[in-house]
Amino acid sequence: QVQLVESGGGSVEARGSLNLSCVVSRYSANANRMGWFRQAPGKEREWVAGFYTGSLTAVYSDSVKGRFTISQKGDSWNIVYLQMTSLKPEDTAMYYCAAAPYGTRWTEEDMMYWGQGTQVTVSS
């Protein structure tokens, strides 16, 4: 079983920055793309950013493009970061790391593995 563990959440003021990390417990062909999702209270979980570990390609939702960066730690295929800058109060949510086999859709249903989440709170 592949396990994902997130860390790095916390509280920050608007326009601040936070860096999230996701560690994958073991290699799996069903986990060769990584994604970050978030869920705010009373809202559905939404996709934020995705990363293809083979091609090292990143994709972003429009809501975070230009402010968030998803990346892999050097040659460490099992550690993925989400660097968040220019944070806004509307970025407040529980952030989840997820993994899936190769594909181009980034929905909850497409993800095979999930972490437990890390809370991000942005105050105005």
Side-chain angles (χ1 to χ4, degrees):
Q1 180 73 2
V2 175
Q3 294 183 324
L4 309 180
V5 180
E6 305 98 332
S7 62
S11 297
V12 66
E13 293 185 350
R15 295 178 296 281
S17 301
L18 278 175
N19 295 324
L20 306 184
S21 299
C22 175
V23 178
V24 185
S25 62
R26 67 176 184 85
Y27 173 78
S28 169
N30 290 322
N32 58 20
R33 62 179 171 133
M34 305 294 297
W36 285 95
F37 289 70
R38 66 186 181 187
Q39 186 167 22
K43 295 188 176 181
E44 294 185 353
R45 192 173 298 188
E46 66 168 340
W47 170 71
V48 173
F51 189 81
Y52 293 92
T53 59
S55 63
L56 305 183
T57 303
V59 288
Y60 300 94
S61 69
D62 288 341
S63 62
V64 306
K65 194 174 295 182
R67 300 188 298 122
F68 291 11
T69 302
I70 185 171
S71 63
Q72 179 177 286
K73 181 183 179 182
D75 294 332
S76 300
W77 59 264
N78 67 326
I79 301 176
V80 175
Y81 297 127
L82 183 68
Q83 297 171 286
M84 306 184 294
T85 64
S86 301
L87 283 162
K88 307 174 182 179
E90 52 263 44
D91 293 319
T92 295
M94 184 72 77
Y95 282 71
Y96 297 91
C97 180
Y102 180 82
T104 57
R105 297 199 325 165
W106 294 92
T107 69
E108 283 189 77
E109 292 73 24
D110 293 299
M111 299 297 110
M112 183 167 289
Y113 304 107
W114 290 90
Q116 294 299 306
T118 186
Q119 178 68 37
V120 171
T121 302
V122 184
S123 58
S124 57

